[in-house]
C-alpha cells in the first residue's frame, strides 16, 4: 500500500478523489462509445456528431486557468461539489436533449465542470499528504482517469446497445449524483491558501516560471503526439489486420494495462522524475514504432498499443507533479495550466491527425507521432531543473 503511513482520513480523501477523476473521464469519453447512435438519433453525419466531444475539450482548454484563478477564494471541497453537480446537469441535458444544439450546450456545461474539477484535483491531493508523497498521491488520484478511459467507452456502448444512448447518459447522471453525495460526506476539507486575497495567483521567480513553462510545453507536446495517433487507433488496428469484432476487447485490454503505467510512475515520480518520464516516453516510442508499417498483425498488434498507452499514462503524474514542484504559482493554478495544455494537445492532435490520415495515411501519420514524442522527450531531458534526475528532501520543502 503506497499510503500505509497516512491517517485514515487522508486515504479516504484520496479514494474519493480517485472516484471523482473516474467519473470525470467517463463523462468526457462516454459519447465516443455512442457516437453513431447519437448521429442516427439526430439524423446528422457522424463527423458532425463528433462536435459533442470537441465542445467538451474546447471548454476545458479555454476555461481551466481562468476558472481556477477566479474561484481561488472559494472553499476547495465546495468547488468539488459544484463541479460534480455540473456533471449531473450536463449528463441530464445531453440525455434529454430534443436537438443536437441543446446536446452540445449540455456538453459545454460538462466541459466547464471538467475544467474546474480536474484543475483542482491534483492540488487537493497534494494537500492531503506530506510534500514528499505528492507525486504518488497525484498518480493514485489520476488512476481514476485511466479506469474511466478503460470503462467509459465500452461501458457507454454496452448500455447504449441494450437500452439506447439516452439511457447511457442518464446512467452517467445517476453515477454523478451518487458520487456527489459520497463526496459531501467523506471527502475531508482542505484549507484555501492563506495568501489568496483577490483571487489572482502569485507568480514565483522568473526561473521557477521558466521551469513551469517547460513542463507545460512537454505536456502539450506529448499529449499532441499521443492523440495524433490514438484518436485513430481503431482504423490503425484494422489496418494491421485485427478483426472488427475484436476491437472492443482489444481497446479494453490496452486501456487496462495503462493502469500499470500509473503504478510504475508512482515508484519514481517523487524520487527520480526524469527516470519516470523517460520510461514513459520510451514506452510510447517503442509501442508507436512497432505500429509503423506492418511489422505485427492481428492480435500481435494489440501489445504495442498497450505498451504505448502504458507509457502515456506514466507521463501524466510526472508532468503534473513537475508543474506543482516548480512553485511558479499556486498548486491549483499549476494544475489548471496542465489541464488546459492537455486539452489543447487533445484538440490539436485529433484535428491534425485526421487531416494527415486523410491525405497521406498511417505511413506518414505514425512516423509523425513518433517524431513528436522524440521532440517532447528532448525538451524534457534538456531541462533537468524541470525533470530532475534525483530529488532530495529540499526539493519537497515549501
Amino acid at each position: 500500500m503506497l499510503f500505509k503511513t497516512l491517517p485514515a482520513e487522508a486515504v479516504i480523501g484520496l479514494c474519493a478523489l480517485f472516484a471523482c477523476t473516474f467519473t470525470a473521464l467517463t463523462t468526457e469519453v462516454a459519447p465516443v462509445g455512442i457516437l453513431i447512435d447519437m448521429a442516427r438519433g439526430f439524423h446528422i453525419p457522424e463527423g458532425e456528431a463528433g462536435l459533442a466531444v470537441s465542445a467538451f475539450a474546447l471548454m476545458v482548454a479555454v476555461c481551466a486557468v481562468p476558472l481556477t484563478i477566479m474561484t481561488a477564494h472559494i472553499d476547495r471541497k465546495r468547488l468539488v461539489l459544484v463541479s460534480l453537480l455540473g456533471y449531473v446537469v450536463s449528463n441530464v441535458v445531453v440525455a434529454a436533449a430534443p436537438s443536437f444544439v441543446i446536446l452540445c450546450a449540455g456538453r459545454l456545461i460538462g466541459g466547464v465542470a471538467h475544467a474546474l474539477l480536474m484543475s483542482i484535483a491534483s492540488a487537493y491531493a497534494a494537500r492531503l499528504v506530506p510534500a514528499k508523497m505528492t507525486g504518488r498521491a497525484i498518480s493514485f488520484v489520476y488512476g481514476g482517469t485511466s479506469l474511466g478511459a478503460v470503462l467509459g467507452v465500452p461501458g457507454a456502448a454496452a448500455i447504449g446497445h441494450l437500452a439506447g444512448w439516452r439511457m447511457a447518459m442518464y446512467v452517467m447522471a445517476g453515477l454523478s449524483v451518487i458520487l456527489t453525495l459520497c463526496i459531501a460526506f467523506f471527502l475531508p476539507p482542505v484549507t484555501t491558501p492563506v495568501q489568496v486575497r483577490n483571487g489572482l495567483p502569485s507568480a514565483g521567480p522568473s526561473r521557477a516560471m521558466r521551469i513551469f513553462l517547460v513542463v507545460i510545453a512537454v505536456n502539450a507536446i506529448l499529449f499532441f503526439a499521443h492523440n495524433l495517433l490514438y484518436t485513430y487507433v481503431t482504423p490503425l488496428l484494422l489496418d494491421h489486420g485485427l478483426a472488427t469484432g475484436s476491437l472492443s476487447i482489444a481497446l479494453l485490454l490496452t486501456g487496462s494495462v495503462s493502469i500499470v503505467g500509473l503504478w510504475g510512475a508512482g515508484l519514481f515520480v517523487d524520487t527520480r522524475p526524469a527516470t519516470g518520464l523517460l520510461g514513459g516516453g520510451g514506452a510510447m516510442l517503442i509501442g508507436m514504432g512497432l505500429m509503423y508499417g506492418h511489422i505485427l498483425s492481428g492480435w500481435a498488434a494489440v501489445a504495442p498499443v498497450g505498451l504505448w498507452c502504458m507509457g502515456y499514462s506514466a507521463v501524466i503524474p510526472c508532468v503534473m507533479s513537475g508543474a506543482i514542484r516548480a512553485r511558479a504559482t499556486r498548486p491549483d493554478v499549476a494544475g489548471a495550466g496542465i489541464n488546459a495544455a492537455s486539452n489543447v494537445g487533445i484538440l490539436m492532435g485529433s484535428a491534425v491527425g485526421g487531416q494527415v490520415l486523410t491525405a497521406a495515411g498511417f505511413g506518414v501519420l505514425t512516423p509523425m507521432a513518433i517524431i513528436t514524442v522524440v521532440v517532447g522527450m528532448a525538451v524534457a531531458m534538456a531541462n533537468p531543473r524541470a525533470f530532475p534526475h534525483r530529488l532530495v528532501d529540499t526539493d519537497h520543502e515549501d
Side-chain angles (χ1 to χ4, degrees):
M1 175 65 179
L2 288 176
F3 307 112
K4 60 183 178 181
T5 60
L6 293 178
E9 184 182 49
V11 174
I12 291 172
L14 292 173
C15 291
L17 290 172
F18 177 97
C20 284
T21 61
F22 167 76
T23 300
L25 232 291
T26 304
T27 296
E28 181 176 17
V29 302
V32 175
I34 53 177
L35 201 65
I36 295 176
D37 294 333
M38 288 169 55
R40 289 173 180 169
F42 290 110
H43 307 290
I44 58 176
E46 292 174 16
E48 186 176 337
L51 291 173
V53 179
S54 301
F56 198 100
L58 178 62
M59 292 307 290
V60 178
V62 171
C63 296
V65 174
L67 269 180
T68 304
I69 294 173
M70 290 167 58
T71 58
H73 61 287
I74 300 177
D75 176 74
R76 303 288 93 182
K77 182 173 179 177
R78 186 177 303 170
L79 278 181
V80 171
L81 290 171
V82 169
S83 300
L84 291 173
L85 287 173
Y87 286 116
V88 175
V89 173
S90 171
N91 289 322
V92 169
V93 170
V94 169
S99 68
F100 187 67
V101 172
I102 301 298
L103 184 147
C104 285
R107 291 292 289 172
L108 290 174
I109 295 171
V112 173
H114 196 79
L116 188 55
L117 178 65
M118 296 300 286
S119 295
I120 64 176
S122 57
Y124 208 117
R127 290 184 188 140
L128 289 174
V129 300
K132 64 182 181 180
M133 299 181 70
T134 295
R136 277 174 286 173
I138 292 172
S139 296
F140 177 79
V141 167
Y142 275 79
T145 65
S146 290
L147 190 61
V150 170
L151 299 178
V153 174
I159 297 172
H161 177 73
L162 294 173
W165 69 267
R166 292 184 185 274
M167 180 56 66
M169 297 311 298
Y170 276 126
V171 170
M172 281 306 309
L175 290 175
S176 300
V177 170
I178 294 171
L179 178 60
T180 302
L181 293 174
C182 290
I183 291 297
F185 286 103
F186 297 115
L187 182 65
V190 295
T191 56
T192 303
V194 177
Q195 68 270 27
V196 176
R197 299 298 181 189
N198 56 5
L200 295 176
S202 56
S206 58
R207 187 182 73 173
M209 184 55 67
R210 285 195 298 270
I211 293 172
F212 176 68
L213 292 176
V214 167
V215 175
I216 291 289
V218 170
N219 179 69
I221 293 169
L222 293 179
F223 265 72
F224 174 81
H226 173 73
N227 287 279
L228 198 64
L229 194 57
Y230 189 75
T231 304
Y232 308 98
V233 69
T234 298
L236 178 64
L237 287 171
L238 291 176
D239 186 61
H240 281 72
L242 189 69
T244 303
S246 301
L247 281 173
S248 58
I249 298 174
L251 293 176
L252 186 63
L253 289 173
T254 57
S256 299
V257 298
S258 66
I259 297 175
V260 178
L262 279 166
W263 172 80
L267 300 179
F268 294 98
V269 70
D270 286 325
T271 54
R272 297 175 180 269
T275 301
L277 188 70
L278 190 61
M284 290 178 69
L285 285 174
I286 294 171
M288 289 177 173
L290 290 173
M291 294 304 288
Y292 178 64
H294 290 82
I295 302 172
L296 301 172
S297 61
W299 276 102
V302 176
V305 175
L307 179 63
W308 143 33
C309 290
M310 192 187 306
Y312 171 71
S313 293
V315 164
I316 296 173
C318 292
V319 293
M320 184 63 78
S321 59
I324 293 175
R325 192 173 54 245
R327 300 189 186 92
T329 185
R330 298 195 314 265
D332 53 355
V333 178
I338 289 291
N339 196 14
S342 300
N343 280 272
V344 169
I346 292 169
L347 278 172
M348 296 301 296
S350 301
V352 174
Q355 294 298 315
V356 174
L357 181 60
T358 301
F362 287 114
V364 172
L365 183 60
T366 304
M368 184 175 174
I370 293 170
I371 292 170
T372 307
V373 174
V374 171
V375 170
M377 296 306 299
V379 173
M381 295 302 108
N383 291 274
R385 289 187 180 276
F387 299 98
H389 293 288
R390 181 186 290 274
L391 285 177
V392 293
D393 289 342
T394 53
D395 293 309
H396 294 296
E397 294 174 1
D398 291 327

